[in-house]
Structures are given as C-alpha cells and as structure tokens.
Amino acid sequence: MTTPRSPLHDHRDPHARVAPVVATVLLVPLVPFAFVLGGLSAMATDSCGPDSCSSALMTSLTLIYGLLAYGGFFTFLAYVTLWALPRTRRWAALRAWLAAAAVTPPAAVLFLVLTLPRP
C-alpha cells in the first residue's frame, strides 16, 4: 500500500529555473567587479598610511576583506546548492532565499567599496 503524498511534493515547478538564472545573471558582473574593486580598496590608505587612517576607513576595509574571503565561500556554497535543489514546488522558497543569499556578499562588497569614508 502506498501512502498518499501531498501535491506539493510531486509536482514539478515550471518556474524552478528562474531564481538560479537570475542569480547567475547578477553574479556574472558582480563577482569580478567586487573582487577587483575590493582588492584595490587598500589603496584608500595610500594618503594616510595604515597607522594614521581613520577608524571608520579601517573598519570598512576589514569588512571588505572579510566579505571577500568568507563571503566568497558562502556565495559559492549557496550558488551550488541553488542549482542542485530538486525542481519541485516544495523547494521554491528555499531556492529564492538561496538566490538572494548568493548575491548578497558581492553586492555588499561593492556597496562598501563605493561608500568608503575619507581617510
């Protein structure tokens, strides 16, 4: 005897590829720009030296490099999981959350770089 399953578990989601594709389209330009601009952000300390710069600038740079290191790993894991989830409606909400989570670290790096405080 088979147990009845809810329709939520059985039906394929026709929009299952929307979140992964949107995340991919956003990550293609965001990741290189975040990596390059985040790497170049250390040059903001050229005029004051790393010892006499403002604490706000040094805090922003610490956040940028932390996001580049740990956020890149998190983005990779969220992105791989996003594409690996089953294409059923049961996983639609998690798929949308993972897409947002994958895009957040590179977007945060760009935001921090573009709003660096003056030295």
Side-chain angles (χ1 to χ4, degrees), residues 25-84:
V25 167
L26 290 174
L27 285 173
V28 165
L30 277 178
V31 169
F33 281 129
F35 186 70
V36 169
L37 292 179
L40 293 174
S41 65
M43 293 192 322
T45 62
D46 284 351
S47 65
C48 60
D51 296 331
S52 61
C53 288
S54 69
S55 64
L57 176 63
M58 297 311 291
T59 301
S60 292
L61 290 175
T62 303
L63 286 172
I64 288 169
Y65 287 119
L67 278 171
L68 283 176
Y70 300 111
F73 181 69
F74 178 74
T75 295
F76 176 75
L77 287 180
Y79 183 73
V80 168
T81 305
L82 174 66
W83 278 103

